[in-house]
Amino acid sequence: MALTLWMVFLWVPTEANLGVSQRIFYFHVPVAILALSSILVVAAASIVHLITRGQRSDDLAYSAAELGAVLATLAIVTGATWAKPVWGVWWTWDPKLTLTLLLWFIYAGYLMLRAYGPKGSQGSRYGAVIALMGAVNAPIIYYATELWQTAHPDLLVGPAAESGSLDSDMALGLLVSTITFVVLAGYVLIERYSLRRSETAIDALYQYAS
Amino acid sequence: MPYINTLVSARVARMAMIALILAVLALWGAATAMASGDVNPRASQPMVLAQEEDPDPDADAGTSTTDVLAQEGDSDPEANLPFLFAVYIITWGGFFAYVFAMSRRQREMQRELDALKAAITEKESQSGAGQAE
């Protein structure tokens, strides 16, 4: 993590047109990738839960949804902070931005349903349906710049990115930054999952005590 | 269960400590870079970023992203440093806030667990007394 911060602030070259604001890229892109990946984790865990009815997969889905909501919020806010100096506006109803906002609402809907909706297996099933809707949205967000004419920069990472579309030093900086954020998010997810397991166990104890 | 709770709590505290140290380190690095007057010695190197070339300049002449980027960049490349710091603080602040929320929830769970232990002990002692009678 210290290496990443050193690379972002001191090592990577400053982009000629955008200046230092381009360095926001090294925070925004990994966080956005993780926000998209989280909904896929939620959906995968939800499918496992629907098949096996296991509590562990449901706990994993809930934990990933909560972390995903945090990451989606960060992706939107960091994107807006990048958009202001580059586009001159904090927000525009660009397809990619709008779909990312939709993803945020999906996360929020999932968490609100789990908090205030039906409890037990019924709540888990309803949540799984929302997670699957979010999983459909994830690849559309990724390919939005290919599908529509959009102000958002073209794809620089992933299967649809053109090779050589990024300076080699910047690509290395982005790679290190992405690995760091993946490790950090993975660690937070494990902690949240442990906490969720304890919460589930306490709920079971409550039922036993009453 | 108490062992698990203590373990998770210790981990969260350790993670928050590491994050704090890294945040201080990064701020120090950024401040050093700013004080040196040159954010990066290789700043003149060109980079390839998306939409360097407008595929259809006639489609939205004068308002394309490329044009906006060029106009913004021509003035002062370091003019947008506050935005970079804002993103840095928001990203770390977001993670900090989430870790803090997790640690608060952990404390609440510990209280709930203590209450549950007391309730179960009371229930068991009552049932034991009932059986004795």
Side-chain angles (χ1 to χ4, degrees):
Chain A
M1 286 158 84
L3 173 70
T4 303
L5 293 172
W6 174 76
M7 286 181 89
V8 169
F9 282 102
L10 299 172
W11 186 78
V12 291
T14 303
E15 202 272 333
N17 291 323
L18 297 174
V20 291
S21 66
Q22 186 269 334
R23 288 165 197 252
I24 293 171
F25 171 78
Y26 303 103
F27 295 100
H28 172 70
V29 173
V31 165
I33 290 170
L34 284 166
L36 286 184
S37 307
S38 292
I39 195 67
L40 298 178
V41 173
V42 179
S46 296
I47 290 168
V48 172
H49 173 72
L50 287 174
I51 294 167
T52 64
R53 304 283 176 192
Q55 187 59 44
R56 283 176 182 272
S57 52
D58 184 47
D59 288 342
L60 177 63
Y62 184 88
S63 307
E66 203 177 271
L67 178 62
V70 173
L71 291 165
T73 307
L74 289 176
I76 290 171
V77 174
T78 56
T81 315
W82 194 8
K84 179 61 179 168
V86 176
W87 296 339
V89 290
W90 294 101
W91 179 266
T92 175
W93 293 103
D94 178 271
K96 192 149 188 162
L97 275 64
T98 309
L99 286 166
T100 308
L101 184 64
L102 179 65
L103 177 67
W104 187 87
F105 278 118
I106 287 169
Y107 276 128
Y110 180 93
L111 293 173
M112 285 175 75
L113 177 79
R114 298 304 302 269
Y116 304 112
K119 302 292 176 195
S121 61
Q122 197 179 11
S124 305
R125 283 201 303 274
Y126 289 169
V129 173
I130 295 180
L132 291 173
M133 284 164 57
V136 171
N137 188 27
I140 301 175
I141 295 173
Y142 178 74
Y143 287 105
T145 50
E146 305 281 317
L147 297 171
W148 296 284
Q149 189 148 14
T150 162
H152 193 278
D154 286 339
L155 292 170
L156 294 171
V157 291
E162 288 177 25
S163 61
S165 60
L166 194 63
D167 175 83
S168 59
D169 285 351
M170 290 178 173
L172 183 61
L174 179 64
L175 178 69
V176 173
S177 179
T178 304
I179 290 168
T180 303
F181 275 102
V182 167
V183 171
L184 179 64
Y187 187 69
V188 172
L189 178 62
I190 290 167
E191 296 298 338
R192 183 65 190 96
Y193 175 69
S194 303
L195 198 59
R196 181 68 183 172
R197 293 291 301 155
S198 303
E199 284 171 356
T200 308
I202 284 179
D203 284 344
L205 274 175
Y206 263 122
Q207 286 173 359
Y208 172 74
S210 60
Chain B
M1 185 67 70
Y3 170 73
I4 293 170
N5 288 338
T6 312
L7 193 69
V8 172
S9 185
R11 277 178 172 180
V12 169
R14 207 182 313 137
M15 190 167 64
M17 187 63 75
I18 291 167
L20 182 67
I21 291 165
L22 285 168
V24 171
L25 270 175
L27 276 176
W28 173 78
T32 310
M34 283 177 70
S36 71
D38 186 1
V39 174
N40 194 299
R42 295 173 295 148
S44 59
Q45 280 189 3
M47 82 159 262
V48 184
L49 196 62
Q51 298 195 3
E52 268 203 334
E53 291 177 12
D54 195 345
D56 187 7
D58 296 327
D60 50 358
T63 58
S64 71
T65 308
T66 312
D67 292 341
V68 175
L69 300 189
Q71 286 162 14
E72 294 282 339
D74 286 345
S75 53
D76 179 11
E78 291 182 23
N80 297 321
L81 207 55
F83 289 99
L84 176 62
F85 278 110
V87 163
Y88 170 78
I89 288 164
I90 289 164
T91 309
W92 277 105
F95 270 104
F96 263 126
Y98 186 52
V99 169
F100 180 69
M102 276 171 63
S103 113
R104 271 191 66 181
R105 207 171 299 167
Q106 182 68 40
R107 281 199 298 273
E108 282 169 19
M109 274 177 49
Q110 192 62 49
R111 277 198 294 273
E112 280 185 29
L113 199 62
D114 292 341
L116 266 169
K117 272 182 194 167
I120 289 170
T121 309
E122 191 182 348
K123 193 178 176 182
E124 283 176 350
S125 64
Q126 278 176 358
S127 65
Q131 282 174 357
E133 286 173 8

